[in-house]
Amino acid sequence: KAGVTQTPRYLIKTRGQQVTLSCSPISGHRSVSWYQQTPGQGLQFLFEYFSETQRNKGNFPGRFSGRQFSNSRSEMNVSTLELGDSALYLCASSSAQGPFDYGYTFGSGTRLTVV
Amino acid sequence: GQQVMQIPQYQHVQEGEDFTTYCNSSTTLSNIQWYKQRPGGHPVFLIQLVKSGEVKKQKRLTFQFGEAKKNSSLHITATQTTDVGTYFCAGRRSSGTYKYIFGTGTRLKVLA
């Protein structure tokens, strides 16, 4: 079974630009969550999508958005990049549909550097 | 908002020594998960605890969920160099929402 695929692996952008990151979940997984990981803040929840609907949202500004397609692939977009957006962005898929689940499977992440 | 703290932040142990990390939530949790992230890698799911007072073992790893479902611990017996990494707990407040709050993590270094 293929794992969670995130593209690109590395990205360097300039302040003010926008960026789109992509995530392909494990086949059959309908839940996709995004996390931002930084040394200072740890893993911060961005949002979760299930069947093309955003089910949960973290405390990030509106510059961070996402979407999920009918094939469960997800994208997240960050507009008007700031230096503080430099981080490892992790996508995680899960088959969870209720109170019991089998944990996230994380992708390798996209390391975004804003200069 | 919901916060999940872990202690200690860092731990250096000699190979063969035991190691414990503690996870404390400001709110009662529906369930808790544990992950391990190797240096340069991504978090990998280890286990999930659901019931109050639950204890689960995986070889040298023992996981506990507190009676009040607000804290948890991971204990590693006789650490090995392969145990190096950061251990995260992740808690979900309600079974009706799929939103996990990750703990701050404990970075374990094992000295051979």
Side-chain angles (χ1 to χ4, degrees), chain A residues 31 33 35 37 42-43 45 48 55-58 88 90 94 96 98-104 106-108, chain B residues 30-31 33 35 37 40-45 48 50 88 90 92 95-104:
Chain A
S31 170
S33 299
Y35 285 84
Q37 186 173 31
L43 279 150
F45 177 82
E48 185 243 350
R55 279 202 304 195
N56 293 283
K57 191 175 187 308
L88 179 66
L90 290 162
S94 172
F100 300 103
D101 64 81
Y102 302 96
Y104 287 127
F106 280 89
S108 298
Chain B
S30 167
N31 59 290
Q33 297 177 347
Y35 292 81
Q37 185 173 22
H42 54 273
V44 174
F45 176 74
Q48 171 169 271
V50 178
F88 293 97
R92 180 166 64 163
S95 61
T97 176
Y98 203 77
K99 176 180 174 181
Y100 280 87
I101 304 300
F102 275 74
T104 44

Side-chain angles (χ1 to χ4, degrees), chain A residues 7-112:
Chain A
T7 56
R9 288 295 308 276
Y10 302 92
L11 209 47
I12 299 176
K13 288 285 189 179
T14 305
R15 214 167 22 164
Q17 287 187 311
Q18 76 161 16
V19 67
T20 299
L21 312 181
S22 178
C23 172
S24 292
I26 287 175
S27 177
H29 283 192
R30 294 162 65 189
S31 170
V32 175
S33 299
W34 288 88
Y35 285 84
Q36 181 196 65
Q37 186 173 31
T38 57
Q41 297 296 317
L43 279 150
Q44 299 289 312
F45 177 82
L46 280 155
F47 25 67
E48 185 243 350
Y49 286 88
F50 183 86
S51 292
E52 301 179 65
T53 301
Q54 186 182 87
R55 279 202 304 195
N56 293 283
K57 191 175 187 308
N59 299 321
F60 277 80
R63 300 186 297 107
F64 292 81
S65 63
R67 59 178 174 169
Q68 187 180 34
F69 302 95
S70 58
N71 61 358
S72 293
R73 191 178 72 85
S74 177
E75 288 181 348
M76 70 162 277
N77 184 276
V78 188
S79 62
T80 321
L81 284 165
E82 300 177 0
L83 296 178
D85 297 333
S86 295
L88 179 66
Y89 289 88
L90 290 162
C91 165
S93 80
S94 172
S95 62
Q97 293 185 49
F100 300 103
D101 64 81
Y102 302 96
Y104 287 127
T105 301
F106 280 89
S108 298
T110 294
R111 185 162 296 281
L112 172 65

Side-chain angles (χ1 to χ4, degrees), chain B residues 8-47:
Chain B
Q9 195 174 357
Y10 301 96
Q11 184 85 60
H12 293 181
V13 299
Q14 286 291 137
E15 189 174 20
E17 290 182 339
D18 291 358
F19 159 77
T20 304
T21 173
Y22 299 91
C23 178
N24 296 292
S25 170
S26 58
T27 59
T28 302
L29 300 171
S30 167
N31 59 290
I32 196 160
Q33 297 177 347
W34 284 90
Y35 292 81
K36 176 184 177 181
Q37 185 173 22
R38 292 182 187 273
H42 54 273
V44 174
F45 176 74
L46 294 176
I47 209 158

